[in-house]
Amino acid sequence: ISMENSSSVKEFILLGLSENRGAQKIYFVVFLLFYTLTVAGNLLIVLTVTSSRHLNSPMYFFLCHLSFIDVCYSSVTAPQMISGFLVENNTISFAGCIGQLFGFHFFGCTEIFILTAMAYDRYVAICRPLHYGALMSRRLCGRMVGGSWAGGFLHSTLQTLPTALLPFCGPNKVAHYFCDVHPLLHLACADTRAAGLAAVANSGVISLSCFLILVASYVVILVSLRGKTLAGWRKALSTCGSHITMVILFFGPCTFVYIRLPSDLSEDRSVAVFYTLIAPMLNPLIYTLRNGEVKGAVRKLCRRKVGSRN
């Protein structure tokens, strides 16, 4: 994509979460802590899964990719937001803004597809346990992950290209803490109703359709558990609990923002914090606290690191 736009705007000013200088200092400490925990926790999951010989099932293969995506996803927006709390005008170049827009939708959409693939994995594990090994082969898992990355790239391209080609000739203050489609459409010197509808149709339909697929998969799982013993219910729900929690934390706010035309950008940026930073931060906590195998592998990894240092 050529970044030489016909606009006169060469850079944007990100207004952030608040223009109150006192609140910004508090936000700086809080979100720096959140981002540090996000990167450290998710990288720990990646290192644990890749170094453990026991965590080789499809579920952990998907979890490893999910954690890696969460690091990339939060890194697209969080560093710019955090550094912005320390300066009076948090500026970003036009090319940087478009790059941030692309990266945000690329990793966000890829995460949506990975979460959907994980739901299929849980469905096969619970409803078709005898055929699990044949249905969830390494080749299929690789294709599902590859398809998720390709789908994220296609979605992001279709979302970014029309926005990058819009003329920006006047105001350059983005009412958000990162460059997203809706705030940029408000600044374009053109009729953006068609572009706004296309953005909703693109992001909104993907979010809502994948969310409905996830809900349907868990309805099927619950129906299949009829007649099972209490122990069977506990085992099945324990394997799904972490995934359900992540789906609610990520899809709830994300669907709220993108399934409708924007009316209150200040409301959108407050909700966006949940799926850009809080959900990625909680991902490793949710999966380690609820999964004995992951906790055991993390302990072994930490013991090996401490032993090697000694």
Side-chain angles (χ1 to χ4, degrees):
I1 300 172
S2 174
M3 294 305 167
E4 290 299 325
N5 193 283
S6 60
S7 66
S8 59
V9 174
K10 301 303 179 185
E11 65 179 18
F12 293 101
I13 298 175
L14 300 172
L15 297 183
L17 290 173
S18 173
E19 296 184 55
N20 184 302
R21 297 302 298 175
Q24 286 180 359
K25 294 178 181 177
I26 298 174
Y27 285 152
F28 172 79
V29 175
V30 171
F31 287 111
L32 180 61
L33 175 62
F34 282 2
Y35 179 61
T36 303
L37 291 175
T38 299
V39 174
N42 282 289
L43 287 180
L44 179 62
I45 293 289
V46 173
L47 290 173
T48 300
V49 173
T50 53
S51 64
S52 175
R53 291 175 293 177
H54 302 290
L55 302 180
N56 55 6
S57 69
M59 180 176 71
Y60 299 117
F61 175 71
F62 291 128
L63 176 59
C64 183
H65 280 271
L66 181 68
S67 293
F68 175 73
I69 290 169
D70 276 337
V71 172
C72 300
Y73 183 53
S74 59
S75 296
V76 171
T77 59
Q80 180 82 37
M81 174 181 67
I82 293 168
S83 63
F85 293 134
L86 300 178
V87 297
E88 187 172 345
N89 287 326
N90 184 20
T91 60
I92 184 171
S93 67
F94 182 84
C97 185
I98 297 302
Q100 188 180 60
L101 172 63
F102 180 87
F104 171 74
H105 282 275
F106 174 45
F107 293 115
C109 188
T110 303
E111 176 154 349
I112 286 175
F113 291 145
I114 290 287
L115 287 170
T116 306
M118 292 175 76
Y120 177 73
D121 172 68
R122 293 299 83 204
Y123 159 75
V124 175
I126 295 171
C127 300
R128 307 285 297 278
L130 298 179
H131 302 90
Y132 182 76
L135 291 175
M136 296 301 297
S137 63
R138 284 186 174 272
R139 173 179 287 187
L140 176 62
C141 293
R143 287 178 175 176
M144 292 173 77
V145 168
S148 298
W149 284 99
F153 180 83
L154 178 62
H155 158 77
S156 188
T157 301
L158 294 175
Q159 196 79 307
T160 304
L161 187 58
T163 307
L165 295 177
L166 287 172
F168 294 93
C169 55
N172 67 337
K173 292 186 177 181
V174 181
H176 216 303
Y177 61 87
F178 65 93
C179 291
D180 200 4
V181 175
H182 292 154
L184 290 177
L185 292 181
H186 278 69
L187 303 179
C189 304
D191 186 353
T192 60
R193 284 175 294 183
L197 289 172
V200 170
N202 192 347
S203 296
V205 169
I206 288 176
S207 301
L208 184 60
S209 59
C210 287
F211 180 71
L212 292 176
I213 290 172
L214 289 164
V215 171
S217 70
Y218 281 109
V219 169
V220 172
I221 289 173
L222 290 174
V223 171
S224 70
L225 291 175
R226 287 187 303 177
K228 298 281 186 180
T229 62
L230 183 59
W233 272 85
R234 286 176 178 171
K235 182 178 179 180
L237 294 178
S238 67
T239 64
C240 299
S242 301
H243 187 251
I244 293 173
T245 305
M246 278 303 301
V247 166
I248 293 172
L249 287 173
F250 187 83
F251 274 89
C254 185
T255 304
F256 170 79
V257 170
Y258 290 106
I259 200 61
R260 61 186 178 83
L261 290 172
S263 56
D264 186 353
L265 292 178
S266 63
E267 187 179 72
D268 282 3
R269 63 186 174 185
S270 299
V271 174
V273 172
F274 283 92
Y275 59 84
T276 59
L277 197 57
I278 293 179
M281 178 187 67
L282 294 178
N283 173 35
L285 292 174
I286 291 168
Y287 277 98
T288 53
L289 291 176
R290 295 183 60 87
N291 192 303
E293 288 183 319
V294 176
K295 282 192 288 188
V298 169
R299 292 193 196 100
K300 289 181 181 178
L301 178 65
C302 293
R303 282 199 293 266
R304 284 205 302 269
K305 294 296 182 183
V306 173
S308 64
R309 288 177 183 175
N310 292 335

